[in-house]
Amino acid sequence: FPVTIEHRNIVKKFDTLYNYVSRSYRDWDFHALYDPGSSVCFAALFAAVNRFTREVVILDEIYETNNQKTSTKQIYPRSLAKMKELCDRKDWAETYDYAAAWFQNEVQHEYSRGLMPCQKDIKTKADKLSVIKDFLLAEHPEWGMDGAMLMISDRCRNLINEKSTYATDEHGKIPKKNDHAIDCERYLFNAAHLSTVPKIRKQRDPEVS
């Protein structure tokens, strides 16, 4: 699903999306997603999912390709700093690729924080990518065609780049390359139980504080 920076209804300035989410922090669940890699790339995404409309906002990323900087002790403090900046709450859901148990073990040991393993969708990877595409194409509940059900901050340059070059090969298969941030995106949709664009988008009861 090629997505380029020119898709202004999908990619917006960080400040625009941050301010939008900040208006109603209590309506959003915050997620940190990790695709740990010690040799090629360590990718992480930081996102918010509205628990009523189910819209998704990906606010920031870590994308470290210098293998001298991909250890847990170097990456995880950067993650903690981003979570504090984006939303200084203690209820962030943190999900990691379960194949990288070393990362969870080191985070638990060094920082006393528990991470949840991702729900792998190897056999249904194409289905999850199709759901993500549906969110990219769906109108935003408030902005209409000026937005989408999945919007991405311009801070996420590597996720945007991966999307702009992501395609099936000559055999119609999805190649396992240049997809570290996209993998995090899949973990997000699984962790947030996003399987379809909701036809009816709930609104928070204004009487409930």
Side-chain angles (χ1 to χ4, degrees):
F1 41 71
V3 176
T4 68
I5 194 68
E6 286 74 26
H7 286 73
R8 298 299 179 184
N9 63 323
I10 296 170
V11 178
K12 295 186 180 294
K13 291 184 179 299
F14 168 78
D15 287 346
T16 298
L17 294 179
Y18 177 80
N19 292 335
Y20 174 67
V21 172
S22 297
R23 286 180 357 199
S24 54
Y25 267 148
R26 62 183 177 174
D27 293 348
W28 298 81
D29 295 319
F30 289 84
H31 294 260
L33 301 309
Y34 305 103
D35 188 47
S38 58
S39 59
V40 179
C41 175
F42 192 120
L45 293 181
F46 303 87
V49 178
N50 190 292
R51 62 175 61 100
F52 299 102
T53 65
R54 308 303 287 157
E55 64 193 283
V56 180
V57 177
I58 302 178
L59 291 163
D60 209 341
E61 69 176 10
I62 292 174
Y63 203 89
E64 185 56 69
T65 57
N66 182 343
N67 61 13
Q68 300 299 313
K69 299 180 179 180
T70 56
S71 69
T72 301
K73 287 187 176 181
Q74 294 187 76
I75 288 287
Y76 199 66
R78 291 168 60 184
S79 175
L80 290 172
K82 284 187 180 292
M83 287 188 281
K84 184 174 182 179
E85 175 196 2
L86 297 171
C87 181
D88 192 10
R89 288 187 352 201
K90 299 189 182 298
D91 60 346
W92 277 79
E94 298 184 75
T95 303
Y96 71 101
D97 180 351
Y98 68 67
W102 59 269
F103 178 64
Q104 145 64 17
N105 292 336
E106 291 177 5
V107 168
Q108 178 68 47
H109 178 73
E110 297 289 340
Y111 303 94
S112 300
R113 293 173 69 100
L115 311 184
M116 291 295 295
C118 68
Q119 298 178 36
K120 278 285 190 178
D121 50 11
I122 298 299
K123 294 182 179 180
T124 58
K125 182 176 180 178
D127 292 342
K128 187 57 61 178
L129 294 174
S130 179
V131 172
I132 293 172
K133 184 175 181 179
D134 287 343
F135 271 72
L136 290 169
L137 296 174
E139 289 188 20
H140 188 271
E142 181 174 328
W143 297 340
M145 290 299 293
D146 289 331
M149 284 291 285
L150 167 58
M151 293 189 293
I152 303 170
S153 156
D154 59 1
R155 283 189 177 185
C156 303
R157 302 292 303 194
N158 293 286
L159 174 61
I160 294 164
N161 178 64
E162 286 189 0
K163 283 182 171 293
S164 69
T165 59
Y166 201 62
T168 56
D169 60 21
E170 65 273 18
H171 304 293
K173 302 295 185 180
I174 300 172
K176 182 59 183 172
K177 63 179 181 179
N178 196 35
D179 63 352
H180 307 287
I182 289 175
D183 279 349
C184 290
E185 192 178 42
R186 287 172 39 234
Y187 304 159
L188 169 63
F189 271 66
N190 285 332
H193 307 291
L194 297 169
S195 58
T196 185
V197 177
K199 293 182 179 180
I200 300 176
R201 295 162 190 170
K202 298 179 182 179
Q203 297 295 326
R204 176 175 54 82
D205 184 345
E207 299 300 322
V208 177
S209 59

